[in-house]
Amino acid sequence: MKSLTTTFFILFSIFCAAQQTYKQTLKLMGSRFDITVVAVDSIEANKNINLAINEISRIERLISSWDKNSQTSEINRNAGINPIKVDKELFNLIERALGISKLTDGAFDISYASMDRIWKFDGSMEAMPTKQEVNASVSKVGFKNIILDKTNSTVFLKNKGMKIGFGAIGKGYAADKAKDLLISAGVTSGIINASGDMNTWGKQPSGEEWKVAITNPINKSKVFALLPITNGAVVTSGDYEKYVKFDNTRYSHIIDPRTGYPASGIISVTVFAPKAELADALATSIFVMGIDSGLDRINQLPKIECIIIDTEGNIIKSKHIKIDRS
């Protein structure tokens, strides 16, 4: 549902008197994860990194719609048939996802997984789908048809053929959970980077804040913003690698789950938030909502900021974000 930018560069000191940064890169949840921790030696670092790996793998087993044994797959198999009792953790994640759907007027919707894949972004499309095909593609999508029973911890998809998926929120949630676990284990500083869904805490061994450099996708050779990030998350969603163009209009691979049509007008959205889960969901939502509606919604939310780059390369930011261009 979305392409994650690789234009983040983590700037940190490699050595400090007592502590150093240790980093491991591996594939989890079908994506690249970079796990960085500050520790006194490699033994301590590897132990903590393994804690994070195990936690991310646990989350994947819980939420994966590709794993036939997951509770998410069980929910999807029983669409239109029976409610499914799930772990409280999964129930709460779905409940929060529905809250974001309401907040964004349906621009974010985990039932997007029900959508027919009629848009192709591999260069094979020669014409736009018909209006009838587009309407049919989203006929089973609709977060209001996800029925939650808090007392019994059950999830029911009201219509047959409905599916839920966590592609636009799962990696952010996993990054949050890994961060929380490492903090509880006494890790004072680190970064969980889930293919661009970055979650940080603490500071560099030098005492400086972690920083992210953000580039304009139209001109990747130049950094336009250098931003400190302390105990928070930053997520970028971009369409500059996956899109189609018809009648001089550029259509993103990010599809509006309400209409079945791709988002247009934006090529990159970066969201700063306390949690990667929320930043992940909002980055996708702004693409769908558009610049004006997206900014209006972000400006009403506490502790949330965003940077938007439109198809002309213009940079638009939310009210309170400060950009260091030096």
Side-chain angles (χ1 to χ4, degrees):
M1 186 172 178
K2 77 174 186 179
S3 174
L4 299 172
T5 186
T6 58
T7 59
F8 285 114
F9 299 95
I10 305 167
L11 309 177
F12 55 84
S13 301
I14 299 301
F15 296 103
C16 195
Q19 292 188 316
Q20 300 178 32
T21 56
Y22 295 86
K23 175 180 170 183
Q24 186 171 336
T25 299
L26 65 162
K27 189 173 183 179
L28 296 165
M29 302 181 76
S31 300
R32 170 176 168 153
F33 272 70
D34 298 299
I35 302 171
T36 302
V37 297
V38 172
V40 295
D41 56 43
S42 61
I43 296 174
E44 177 189 344
N46 289 333
K47 179 189 74 173
N48 290 325
I49 288 172
N50 284 333
L51 282 177
I53 292 170
N54 291 337
E55 179 69 351
I56 294 164
S57 298
R58 183 188 70 81
I59 297 298
E60 181 176 19
R61 290 192 297 272
L62 181 68
I63 70 173
S64 173
S65 57
W66 300 104
D67 180 354
K68 65 179 182 180
N69 296 315
S70 74
Q71 292 183 5
T72 301
S73 293
E74 185 71 5
I75 293 169
N76 290 343
R77 277 194 297 271
N78 283 274
I81 303 172
N82 293 307
I84 297 300
K85 187 176 181 64
V86 300
D87 291 350
K88 201 66 180 174
E89 180 179 9
L90 180 59
F91 184 93
N92 291 341
L93 178 61
I94 294 171
E95 187 175 45
R96 290 195 302 275
L98 295 186
I100 297 171
S101 294
K102 293 173 185 174
L103 176 70
T104 61
D105 300 320
F108 176 83
D109 192 334
I110 58 171
S111 72
Y112 80 92
S114 314
M115 200 181 303
D116 295 333
R117 303 296 191 262
I118 60 172
W119 295 88
K120 308 294 182 185
F121 299 94
D122 57 4
S124 64
M125 284 191 74
E126 297 181 356
M128 289 184 65
T130 66
K131 184 177 180 180
Q132 291 75 15
E133 289 172 328
V134 171
N135 290 340
S137 74
V138 292
S139 61
K140 297 181 180 69
V141 177
F143 71 93
K144 292 180 181 178
N145 292 320
I146 302 173
I147 312 301
L148 302 184
D149 182 337
K150 201 173 186 72
T151 302
N152 297 306
S153 192
T154 62
V155 181
F156 180 51
L157 305 184
K158 195 172 178 181
N159 300 323
K160 285 190 175 182
M162 279 190 72
K163 295 178 183 178
I164 58 172
F166 297 95
I169 197 172
K171 289 190 291 296
Y173 176 63
D176 288 336
K177 294 294 288 184
K179 170 185 170 179
D180 291 345
L181 181 63
L182 291 181
I183 291 173
S184 69
V187 180
T188 58
S189 183
I191 302 171
I192 309 293
N193 184 352
S195 293
D197 292 12
M198 289 179 54
N199 207 339
T200 74
W201 71 102
K203 294 185 178 181
Q204 302 178 48
S206 65
E208 296 180 5
E209 295 175 307
W210 301 106
K211 294 181 180 179
V212 292
I214 306 173
T215 61
N216 188 325
I218 293 178
N219 186 358
K220 294 182 180 181
S221 65
K222 292 185 178 180
V223 170
F224 77 80
L226 182 64
L227 299 165
I229 177 168
T230 302
N231 196 29
V234 56
V235 171
T236 291
S237 181
D239 83 328
Y240 34 86
E241 294 175 346
K242 292 183 180 180
Y243 62 91
V244 291
K245 202 168 185 179
F246 296 114
D247 298 326
N248 293 319
T249 300
R250 193 172 184 273
Y251 294 97
S252 162
H253 78 288
I254 298 173
I255 310 295
D256 186 337
R258 303 165 298 186
T259 67
Y261 285 94
S264 61
I266 296 174
I267 59 171
S268 177
V269 176
T270 299
V271 174
F272 296 81
K275 295 283 189 179
E277 173 191 319
L278 180 58
D280 208 352
L282 290 176
T284 301
S285 302
I286 293 170
F287 252 98
V288 172
M289 297 170 75
I291 295 172
D292 293 339
S293 296
L295 271 180
D296 179 66
R297 199 59 47 92
I298 292 296
N299 284 331
Q300 295 178 52
L301 299 175
K303 299 181 180 179
I304 311 290
E305 301 296 341
C306 74
I307 298 171
I308 301 170
I309 302 174
D310 68 15
T311 51
E312 303 300 319
N314 298 310
I315 300 164
I316 307 103
K317 63 183 184 67
S318 55
K319 283 183 179 178
H320 305 295
I321 199 165
K322 296 180 180 179
I323 296 180
D324 177 8
R325 295 176 182 274
S326 59

